[in-house]
Amino acid sequence: MVSFMLENYFSELPGSPDKTEVVALWVWIMGSASALSTMGWPNMWTFIYYSMLLMAAVITITTQMFTILQSLFDEFEELRVRKQKVTFGLIGGLAVCSTFFCTNHGLGSFVVIAMDAIVTYSMLHLLLLLVVLWIYGRERFQRDIEFMLSQPFDSWKIYMLRFIAPIFLVIGLMIGISWSIMDHNYFSVFLVMSIIVVWLPIIGIPAYGMYCLSKSTGTVWDRLRRRPTDWYPLEMEYRQKYEEAIGATDTNQLSEVTDEIN
């Protein structure tokens, strides 16, 4: 609500449409406190607005770091015994790298990378939906969610993720590409940084998937069609409960695939 109020506050800036868009964006970011000070109860609105920004940033960073670290620990067994070192190493590395974006010069590149991140998020989420809901399968995914939640998970939610969500992600992808091209026309010097920070994950994840396919057996088509059956909890207690929940069918498939690979 406060963000919409600030946007309307700065909506009457003069100039051409392109210039107004750029100026309004920077004034919105840098002049928020000045705008809030003109309102009634300025201290309350300022506290609410910047607390919201702080909490949103903390939640986003924490969630993303937890997802990345948990994926690394699940995939690479040697990292599990060094969880504390890997976690604090990642936090320290990100803290050092983020100091550049606190400068006036780095703030411009941060805005450009933020636009590129829309493209990255859209592509990675499309890839995630493809892997989880089409390759892994709707029934297995729904079964795993119900196992984790210990309650039924409606099928209509699965169909929304499977058919409706990709439409909005494709729309967001197209918008992100257009915004990214426009920003790089203004800040072409940040193209290399954007490639390193934003585009390498898009290349790295499919590349690792191809590496895993190269380690499996069978023809190329058989490798692509083979559904993973070794997605299970790492903790032995939860793994036993999971094997009991999925029944003997998938357990036998897991044994067959393991024996085939060995």
Side-chain angles (χ1 to χ4, degrees), residues 59-236:
I59 292 173
T60 302
I61 294 173
T62 304
T63 304
Q64 291 180 346
M65 289 186 61
F66 175 80
T67 303
I68 294 172
L69 289 172
Q70 192 62 44
S71 300
L72 291 175
F73 296 146
D74 290 348
E75 186 67 24
F76 303 103
E77 186 175 354
E78 60 273 11
L79 296 180
R80 298 174 197 167
V81 296
R82 302 182 179 89
K83 284 187 176 182
Q84 186 174 3
K85 294 181 179 179
V86 174
T87 302
F88 284 103
L90 178 61
I91 295 174
L94 290 176
V96 173
C97 295
S98 65
T99 55
F100 167 74
F101 298 103
C102 297
T103 63
N104 291 332
H105 185 69
L107 186 59
S109 61
F110 174 79
V111 174
V112 177
I113 292 177
M115 295 298 102
D116 292 338
I118 299 177
V119 180
T120 306
Y121 286 161
S122 301
M123 295 185 66
L124 292 181
H125 281 89
L126 284 170
L127 179 63
L128 178 64
L129 292 178
L130 172 65
V131 171
V132 173
L133 293 175
W134 292 93
I135 298 178
Y136 185 64
R138 177 191 63 81
E139 296 180 356
R140 290 179 177 177
F141 174 72
Q142 186 173 3
R143 177 201 63 198
D144 292 351
I145 292 294
E146 292 177 349
F147 171 77
M148 290 186 288
L149 299 179
S150 299
Q151 62 184 11
F153 192 77
D154 297 333
S155 298
W156 68 267
K157 298 178 181 178
I158 303 294
Y159 288 113
M160 290 287 290
L161 290 173
R162 202 179 191 194
F163 297 105
I164 305 301
I167 297 176
F168 290 97
L169 287 174
V170 170
I171 295 175
L173 178 62
M174 296 297 101
I175 295 174
I177 292 175
S178 63
W179 287 356
S180 180
I181 293 174
M182 180 181 65
D183 284 339
H184 282 294
N185 288 333
Y186 290 106
F187 305 99
S188 59
V189 68
F190 301 123
L191 179 60
V192 176
M193 181 181 296
S194 298
I195 292 175
I196 296 174
V197 177
V198 178
W199 292 100
L200 282 184
I202 300 178
I203 301 174
I205 293 176
Y208 184 72
M210 297 301 295
Y211 170 78
C212 293
L213 286 176
S214 66
K215 295 297 182 180
S216 60
T217 58
T219 63
V220 176
W221 181 244
D222 291 338
R223 296 178 187 182
L224 292 174
R225 292 185 59 189
R226 182 179 299 149
R227 296 188 178 187
T229 54
D230 57 347
W231 289 7
Y232 48 78
L234 292 177
E235 300 293 336
M236 187 58 63

